[in-house]
Amino acid sequence: MIAPSSWVETHAARLPAGRQVLDLACGSGRHSRFLAAGGWPVLAADRDAAALAGLQGIAGITTACLDLEGASWPLAGQQFAGIVVTNYLWRPRLPDLLALLAPGGVLIYETFMDGNAAYGKPSNPDFLLRPGELRALTAAAGLREIAYAEGYVDQPKPAMRQAICAVRE
């Protein structure tokens, strides 16, 4: 099992205790498992049913096999006390994603950014954040930044990353 992101581990304590957290594009669910073990009920959402199958029966985790990039937004009208996203970017839905965050809710987002092609995939600019992009998007959505980082990282492997922890007040 792959360990949770250090960014998620560092900022998870800011999530409202005992309230539902969305792990968007969760893959095999490393963050869903970590959050559920910490007492947060988790909605683990991904389009990969096989990956979600590995989360069945784990206390505190509900799974949803969803097309996150389709014409209709499958999470419309829902609200979450926390949203965790790692290693995923679909720009057309970023405003919809941020709208899911309830008042007092915390966003923990970390993914690849421009320059990552030098270290491997993803290398397509459509899936790489531009410098300062998460900071600008969350500010425009009315979120208050708690922590922000961007640039080169060597762990868990060399990459260009961008990360934010922000709260909707």
Side-chain angles (χ1 to χ4, degrees), residues 26 38 44 105:
C26 67

Side-chain angles (χ1 to χ4, degrees), residues 1-5 28-31 33-34 87 156:
M1 179 62 53
I2 299 172
S5 152
S28 62
R30 65 184 171 140
H31 296 114
R33 294 168 194 272
F34 168 74
N87 301 337

Side-chain angles (χ1 to χ4, degrees), residues 58-85:
I58 298 176
I61 299 176
T62 303
T63 61
C65 189
L66 304 173
D67 180 358
L68 302 172
E69 299 172 10
S72 64
W73 180 230
L75 297 165
Q78 297 188 49
Q79 289 212 311
F80 298 91
I83 299 173
V84 172
V85 185

Side-chain angles (χ1 to χ4, degrees), residues 65-154:
C65 189
L66 304 173
D67 180 358
L68 302 172
E69 299 172 10
S72 64
W73 180 230
L75 297 165
Q78 297 188 49
Q79 289 212 311
F80 298 91
I83 299 173
V84 172
V85 185
T86 61
N87 301 337
Y88 178 76
L89 175 64
W90 185 249
R91 279 188 184 89
R93 287 292 180 202
L94 281 172
D96 296 319
L97 173 67
L98 297 177
L100 298 174
L101 198 60
V106 174
L107 172 72
I108 301 172
Y109 201 127
E110 177 186 30
T111 196
F112 301 96
M113 67 174 288
D114 283 348
N116 194 67
Y119 305 100
K121 299 219 180 265
S123 56
N124 181 333
D126 290 343
F127 306 115
L128 300 173
L129 290 164
R130 295 179 290 274
E133 188 172 1
L134 275 179
R135 179 174 265 167
L137 285 166
T138 55
L143 278 62
R144 180 178 57 84
E145 180 182 310
I146 295 170
Y148 180 81
E150 77 172 34
Y152 175 80
V153 297
D154 58 6

Side-chain angles (χ1 to χ4, degrees), residues 40-68:
W40 288 279
V42 178
L43 175 61
D46 201 283
R47 68 178 179 189
D48 184 345
L52 290 172
L55 297 173
Q56 296 299 320
I58 298 176
I61 299 176
T62 303
T63 61
C65 189
L66 304 173
D67 180 358
L68 302 172

